[in-house]
Amino acid sequence: MKIVLAYSGGLDTSVALKWLQDKYSAEVIAFCANIGQFEPLDTIGSKAKQIGASKVYIEDLREEYLREYVFKALKANVVYEGQYLLAAPLGRPLIAKRLVEIAQQEKANAVAHGATGKGNDQVRFYCSIAALNPDLQIIAPVIEWEMKSRDDEIEYARTHNIEIAVSAAKPYSIDTNIWGTSIECGVLDNIKLPPPNEVYQITTSPLLAPDEPHDVCIGFEQGIPVSLDGKVIPPIQLVSELNTLGSKHGVGRIDILENRVVGIKTRGIYESPAGAILHFAHKELENLVLDRDLLHYKAQVAQQYSELVYYGLWFSPLREALDVFVGYTQSRVNGYITLRLYKGNLIVLNRDSEYAMYDHSLSTYDVEDQFDHKAGHGFSYIWSMPLRVKSKTDLKWDISRVNQ
């Protein structure tokens, strides 16, 4: 049997790499996708080989991740339950796609991942792989094996001389990429306690952020960020620079009690400095260039889109159809938003676009006001007509009850 394992080098997948060999008497190929995780990848290949991988694939997918997944979600204003910017969920379909492609190339019988049974990623991997190749066997070691806790996994790793970066004292589950960081488990499972400072991987506490703010101008073309302070730069550099700026100024920290795919509530700590900055700027630009009805309807689409991403349905026809709608809305989302970063806050300093729908002569109350105020009375009369009719109907209903 030959299995391709989505391998991160962390606790779960390191243990899974050894366990798959023993359980299935299988040849295991390790695939590591570089989507901007902060952990060094220079030794991940040798570590996988040391555990027993017959071959190791390490691929830089950062550009594809940002262009084909993250920026599509950004254009749609995809934020799960109003807070989570979906760094991990957006990476899973890309990893699954390459996992399937490598399995086909290597003529593997199965693919495997390190997700747990009550987490979200097992659904995301399963749905994505099934959508791309329903004939592949999907193995989830963490669901199948006899170990019951992360402490058991730590002990298994020690027994088999597998190098790991966690301990019983700091048993956090940490997932990172260029768009954001997810931290779970350990003391975070106690929702009555605030997260300890040690859980944060990249961001400065807003309380310790610089006293001097930093201003940045972000340029967009058709909803996609393309420049910083007037300089056009590629996606990886743009997101990386905003991560550095945002982290320094305490931007992008989230502590959320979210609803998982399987129906339970769980606490997650997330850091997404660049994501927070770009989503804020993008929405401000849309407020400037999109009309009211389109803007409001698009907010409904954003919620539907975010649920599709979170629930692992990236490769669904509905997500593809929503992309067509979102693409139409972004044709006018061109311009510049200048923000001030200050102690965890984002403050708008300037909005500018050739497609701006803001008209000073209609909005102002000074001497340049060109709005026809007298027309407002007639407009209000017609606008209130349904309420006027209902009120009269209610009055008749009350009178009829009195007569009875």
Side-chain angles (χ1 to χ4, degrees), residues 76-319:
N77 296 327
V78 169
V79 183
Y80 184 67
E81 296 189 336
Q83 296 187 73
Y84 181 26
L85 300 183
L86 300 166
L90 287 167
R92 300 317 185 228
L94 173 58
I95 295 171
K97 180 173 75 74
R98 283 300 295 140
L99 201 64
V100 170
E101 291 168 349
I102 293 171
Q104 181 176 352
Q105 178 182 330
E106 293 287 344
K107 295 181 172 53
N109 313 85
V111 293
H113 59 76
T116 66
K118 68 177 180 180
N120 300 306
D121 281 345
Q122 56 111 356
V123 176
R124 294 167 187 153
F125 278 121
Y126 198 102
C127 288
S128 297
I129 294 165
L132 298 171
N133 187 346
D135 295 328
L136 271 176
Q137 180 181 351
I138 304 170
I139 302 173
V142 182
I143 298 175
E144 295 183 19
W145 62 34
E146 62 281 359
M147 288 170 277
K148 302 299 183 183
S149 67
R150 291 181 66 79
D151 288 342
D152 289 345
E153 292 181 53
I154 293 171
E155 183 59 33
Y156 181 97
R158 287 173 177 165
T159 301
H160 293 85
N161 296 315
I162 299 172
E163 182 182 348
I164 56 173
V166 297
S167 65
K170 295 182 179 180
Y172 303 117
S173 174
I174 300 174
D175 185 275
T176 68
N177 66 49
I178 193 172
W179 192 238
T181 302
S182 308
I183 309 103
E184 295 177 325
C185 301
V187 68
L188 299 177
D189 291 337
N190 187 343
I191 62 172
K192 295 182 179 180
L193 297 177
N197 290 329
E198 67 182 24
V199 307
Y200 293 104
Q201 304 298 299
I202 58 172
T203 54
T204 300
S205 168
L207 297 175
L208 302 177
D211 293 331
E212 292 298 320
H214 184 97
D215 301 342
V216 60
C217 178
I218 304 167
F220 290 85
E221 290 183 3
Q222 296 188 354
I224 297 175
V226 295
S227 69
L228 293 180
D229 297 326
K231 181 182 178 181
V232 176
I233 54 179
I236 295 175
Q237 181 182 347
L238 186 147
V239 172
S240 296
E241 289 190 15
L242 287 179
N243 272 331
T244 299
L245 283 175
S247 295
K248 178 180 178 180
H249 290 275
V251 172
R253 287 188 172 188
I254 300 167
D255 181 349
I256 179 177
L257 192 65
E258 70 192 59
N259 290 285
R260 280 188 175 176
V261 179
V262 295
I264 64 175
K265 292 184 183 291
T266 184
R267 184 196 200 175
I269 302 297
Y270 300 108
E271 297 173 280
S272 188
I277 295 168
L278 289 174
H279 268 274
F280 189 87
H282 180 261
K283 290 182 71 173
E284 286 297 327
L285 185 55
E286 284 194 331
N287 287 341
L288 182 63
V289 303
L290 298 185
D291 73 87
R292 179 189 65 193
D293 291 342
L294 182 57
L295 190 69
H296 290 181
Y297 187 80
K298 188 171 180 291
Q300 299 177 47
V301 170
Q303 179 173 336
Q304 177 76 74
Y305 201 127
S306 70
E307 291 174 356
L308 291 174
V309 174
Y310 190 86
Y311 298 162
L313 301 174
W314 179 267
F315 293 108
S316 67
L318 178 54
R319 198 275 306 167

